[in-house]
Amino acid sequence: MRALARLALATVLVAAPIAAVTLAPTANAAEDPTPITVLTSNFEDGTVQGWAGRSAETLAHTTTVAHGGTGSLAVTGRTAAWQGPSLDVLDVFEKGTAYTISAWVRMASGSDNARLSVERRTGGTAAYDQVVGNTAVTANGWVNLTGRYTLASDVEFLRVYVETASTTESFYIDDVTASYVPALPIQTDIPSVQDVVTEFPVGASITGAEIVTTHGELLTKHFNSVTPGNALKWDATEPTENTFTYAQADPLMAFARTHDLAVRGHTLVWHNQTPSWVFTGADGQPMTATAEDKELLLARLENHIRNVAGHYGDQIGVWDVVNEVIDENQSDGLRRSNWFNVAGLDYIRTAFRVAREVLPNAKLYINDYNTNVPAKRDKLYNLIAQLKAEGVPIDGVGHQVHINVSWPTLAESEAMIQKFIPLGIDQQVTEMDVSIYTSNSESFPTPPADRLLKQAYVYRDMFALFRKYAAEITSVTLWGLADDNTWLDTFPVTRKDAPLLFDTRLQAKSAYWGVVDPSKINPSPSPSVSSASPSPSVSVSPSASVSPSVSVSPSVSVSPSASVSPSPSSGTAGCAVTYRVTGSWPGGFQGDVKITNTGTAPIAGWSLNWQYTAGQKISQLWNGALTQSGTAVTVANTSWNGTLSPNGSASFGFLGSWTGTNPVPAAFTLNGATCTTL
Ligand code: XIL
């Protein structure tokens, strides 16, 4: 059966041979962001193309409906919602590679929610990873499910499958694909964040995907602290009562030990990601505020903390004991969670008491978001003050700092830190990210240059602020490693966000330079975008000024016009140019260019020329000074990237418009000499 499935699978790997997945990308392939497709199931050949049911349901090729072409796959005879079509991808997916999986789904009749998932087994134990969550599907049309998946562990069984949430109605799938963009090597010639920001540990939240291959290299180069993003939450550690599992957390903890990374434990008590059994009474009913239910709930809480906190002991030096307990809209400021509704404030008291008993040396935190919002900040302050007065062992307050490119102001963030100083507790930034979006209605196919620039200034200003308050701030953690894996891709709405220091291909963004060396942020990329430079609300204002020691220097205001002028030098001359279209949508595109000095003489000042042959027009350009006259484009260096030592390189990026076609320019000249095109 298995051999047959494998055989059939081979026939569906139409777009790229399996071998392509296992070969290391060549230098050119590494520069090429074109996705490589590793499987396609289009059901155009009259077969089920290797798909099989998860149980006894029936799979058949059909021409009743089709998304593309004339065929699709029909799934009938389902007796449970979890039943559906599945495909063996054990020999297709490589550990550590991020795949984009896409499937089209349509109900035969009625409606339901469809999900795209992966089942994997290690040592006979199954785990289920959701790739795309519940998505409404009807019989009226095809609905696309697209999500990203990275296999992070060794497995002996790996299948992609589609299921529904509630009904056993028949459905169809069609045009299933999986592809990946080859990873680029990490940049080893840039400063490590942890070497630049030395006042406190700097961390990233991690999942299994962040500790393998290139991601693991990026993580250990830049960060000296980690927070398991989901692996220590209640649903991951105690999915059923008194059955504790550390399958998700153990590999992350082992990685942290091997690489000597501090670990923040997140989180012992939360209203989310907590299984419903926790709040179900002995009578099988949802708990209410009775003495009996309260006693049972607090007993469960104590048992959970003794086990989970006790399991890793001193390996975890800081715990978010309770998470998001404040609701500033309540007059008492306390979130009406199941915890609170059943146990009142005693759940918080119990959690800290037990955590302290189990871990006398750990720092115990109360963690929350929007602590920069005065109403929330003040309610949180009041709660901590009250609990501390009672003797509840709270050591620190965690500021999540989920912010965006235009909110909040630096002054509000400074007030957030100042507020808690009188309490005499530590403060940590626990989940920082800076969304490129300023409202839920925005959605960009690729991050616009002006937002990335604003973001760089936010990171610059926020890190300067944290460093200024290093006496209070004892750790800063970002909620993710790189833009290829961020919770903001699906929260609060589904759209691509880019909130971290490294881009989807793990390369340093301007945001990174904002943290590491703000003088390398280009404050006015070209005249055409000068109006899009950071708004006053995110720049360093005099009222919230940073101390000189944190080096937000005026040198960042040097304009591109102060460029290094070309000067003659000895040695051979030579250049190579890589021109990439990194994103494209109807009418618009984003690109970047890398110039490398392949000669033996340094280049002091450069000017790069090319011709556009299809009417393309650059509208914004950063890290260079643009002149476009008709089809002729000239980009000169800025003040900080004019000198190219032998083997040295400079890069700039741009946004442009196109119609019809968007061919890559055929030739480039640097200071008048023709370059090799890579
Ligand atoms: C998020 C995770 O990153 C997601 O993978 C998960 O689906 C939802 O939770 N505040 C918190 C974190 O305290 O635990 C949340 O993490 C993000 C918001």
Side-chain angles (χ1 to χ4, degrees):
M1 187 63 194
R2 189 178 177 86
L4 273 180
R6 285 282 168 80
L7 201 64
L9 178 66
T11 66
V12 301
L13 295 166
V14 293
I18 283 186
V21 197
T22 52
L23 287 174
T26 64
N28 278 344
E31 292 290 337
D32 180 6
T34 309
I36 293 176
T37 302
V38 293
L39 79 83
T40 301
S41 295
N42 56 18
F43 307 109
E44 293 304 309
D45 62 358
T47 77
V48 298
Q49 296 187 331
W51 288 76
R54 303 189 68 213
S55 181
E57 64 275 42
T58 305
L59 266 57
H61 177 266
T62 181
T63 53
T64 308
V65 289
H67 170 257
T70 55
S72 68
L73 182 73
V75 188
T76 57
R78 300 167 69 226
T79 56
W82 56 265
Q83 294 178 357
S86 75
L87 182 71
D88 184 356
V89 289
L90 184 59
D91 289 343
V92 180
F93 285 6
E94 275 215 330
K95 189 167 100 172
T97 298
Y99 295 95
T100 298
I101 311 175
S102 166
W104 292 86
V105 185
R106 179 179 184 146
M107 301 303 295
S109 66
S111 61
D112 203 337
N113 282 296
R115 292 193 286 255
L116 179 66
S117 305
V118 170
E119 178 179 351
R120 60 185 158 87
R121 291 184 202 159
T122 304
T125 303
Y128 304 89
D129 302 318
Q130 190 168 282
V131 182
V132 183
N134 282 343
T135 307
V137 189
T138 70
N140 299 332
W142 290 94
V143 170
N144 183 253
L145 307 184
T146 297
R148 292 170 63 86
Y149 183 69
T150 304
L151 176 66
S153 49
D154 293 319
V155 291
E156 75 261 358
F157 176 105
L158 192 67
R159 295 187 78 94
V160 174
Y161 64 93
V162 178
E163 63 187 328
T164 62
S166 40
T167 74
T168 57
E169 192 57 61
S170 300
F171 65 86
Y172 304 97
I173 64 166
D174 200 3
D175 292 336
V176 183
T177 59
S179 61
Y180 72 99
V181 174
L184 287 179
I186 70 160
Q187 295 152 295
T188 51
D189 56 349
I190 57 174
S192 299
V193 175
Q194 59 175 315
D195 293 341
V196 174
V197 182
T198 53
E199 292 85 347
F200 37 71
V202 186
S205 81
I206 56 170
T207 68
E210 274 68 42
I211 61 168
V212 281
T213 57
T214 329
H215 288 81
E217 290 166 27
L218 186 70
L219 181 65
T220 52
K221 171 170 169 58
H222 292 286
F223 298 98
N224 47 13
S225 177
V226 290
T227 304
N230 288 310
L232 291 170
K233 291 174 180 171
W234 198 306
D235 58 353
T237 51
E238 194 186 2
T240 55
E241 183 154 19
N242 210 26
T243 303
F244 291 89
T245 155
Y246 302 97
Q248 266 191 61
D250 276 347
L252 307 181
M253 293 299 297
F255 186 89
R257 267 196 307 279
T258 305
H259 297 280
D260 205 17
L261 307 171
V263 180
R264 292 195 85 261
H266 177 82
T267 171
L268 294 170
V269 188
W270 195 22
H271 58 278
N272 282 336
Q273 292 177 265
T274 304
S276 56
W277 67 259
V278 177
F279 307 109
T280 303
D283 56 1
Q285 297 302 309
M287 286 181 170
T288 57
T290 61
E292 194 190 347
D293 281 350
K294 177 174 175 177
E295 192 185 334
L296 179 58
L297 184 63
L298 294 182
R300 284 174 175 165
L301 175 63
E302 175 155 1
N303 187 48
H304 182 79
I305 294 177
R306 286 198 185 283
N307 276 278
V308 177
H311 182 74
Y312 291 115
D314 288 342
Q315 292 174 45
I316 298 182
V318 183
W319 269 100
D320 290 330
V321 175
V322 297
N323 193 32
E324 303 182 350
V325 301
I326 297 295
D327 176 356
E328 70 270 38
N329 298 316
Q330 304 292 340
S331 58
D332 60 8
L334 299 169
R335 179 189 289 275
R336 288 338 189 225
S337 63
N338 286 333
W339 290 110
F340 182 83
N341 291 342
V342 176
L345 259 189
D346 282 345
Y347 83 92
I348 302 180
R349 296 184 179 107
T350 302
F352 278 96
R353 173 181 59 78
V354 175
R356 176 63 95 228
E357 281 173 30
V358 180
L359 301 173
N361 302 321
K363 294 280 189 186
L364 306 181
Y365 271 68
I366 185 165
N367 190 47
D368 218 319
Y369 62 95
N370 285 5
T371 51
N372 53 280
V373 172
K376 184 142 188 187
R377 177 191 76 197
D378 294 348
K379 294 262 169 49
L380 177 59
Y381 173 93
N382 293 342
L383 176 65
I384 298 174
Q386 177 195 336
L387 292 174
K388 276 189 68 76
E390 290 177 13
V392 176
I394 300 177
D395 299 315
V397 58
H399 305 285
Q400 291 187 4
V401 188
H402 293 294
I403 59 177
N404 72 43
V405 291
S406 62
W407 176 89
T409 64
L410 193 60
E412 284 171 315
S413 294
E414 182 158 29
M416 163 188 92
I417 298 171
Q418 285 175 341
K419 174 76 187 182
F420 294 91
I421 295 176
L423 288 174
I425 54 174
D426 289 347
Q427 302 191 43
Q428 297 194 345
V429 174
T430 56
E431 306 182 15
M432 183 177 182
D433 45 23
V434 181
S435 173
I436 60 170
Y437 296 105
T438 58
S439 83
N440 287 356
S441 55
E442 290 181 332
S443 179
F444 305 124
T446 50
D450 64 324
R451 296 291 171 100
L452 293 176
L453 191 57
K454 276 188 166 188
Q455 182 184 62
Y457 283 87
V458 173
Y459 270 110
R460 176 196 69 179
D461 296 348
M462 291 297 280
F463 267 77
L465 179 70
F466 302 150
R467 297 170 81 176
K468 176 182 170 187
Y469 284 91
E472 271 71 39
I473 305 276
T474 57
S475 167
V476 173
T477 297
L478 305 181
W479 206 242
L481 173 65
D483 289 344
D484 67 327
N485 188 14
T486 160
W487 76 300
L488 294 179
D489 282 353
T490 53
F491 181 90
V493 296
T494 298
R495 60 188 170 187
K496 186 71 200 112
D497 208 332
L500 298 164
L501 303 185
F502 300 95
D503 67 18
T504 55
R505 304 195 78 198
L506 311 189
Q507 308 300 294
K509 297 163 59 186
S510 287
Y512 159 88
W513 290 110
V515 173
V516 164
D517 183 356
S519 72
K520 296 229 166 73
I521 306 171
N522 181 352
S524 47
S526 73
S528 63
V529 287
S530 53
S531 62
S533 60
S535 68
S537 66
V538 292
S539 62
V540 182
S541 70
S543 64
S545 64
V546 290
S547 72
S549 64
V550 295
S551 82
V552 177
S553 74
S555 64
V556 295
S557 64
V558 175
S559 78
S561 61
S563 58
V564 182
S565 56
S567 66
S569 54
S570 59
T572 63
C575 54
V577 169
T578 308
Y579 175 107
R580 307 189 308 169
V581 173
T582 53
S584 187
W585 55 97
F589 71 105
Q590 183 165 351
D592 59 33
V593 168
K594 182 176 175 188
I595 305 167
T596 304
N597 179 1
T598 57
T600 57
I603 296 172
W606 50 261
S607 175
L608 185 76
N609 289 73
W610 72 83
Q611 296 281 337
Y612 273 135
T613 54
Q616 299 103 312
K617 178 111 183 84
I618 294 181
S619 53
Q620 294 185 4
L621 189 137
W622 51 98
N623 295 336
L626 168 75
T627 318
Q628 180 168 5
S629 170
T631 59
V633 177
T634 303
V635 178
N637 61 274
T638 64
S639 59
W640 62 89
N641 65 4
T643 304
L644 301 180
S645 49
N647 287 324
S649 60
S651 299
F652 57 86
F654 53 89
L655 289 175
S657 60
W658 64 286
T659 46
T661 59
N662 186 12
V664 171
F668 297 87
T669 57
L670 190 77
N671 297 344
T674 302
C675 298
T676 313
T677 308
L678 295 179

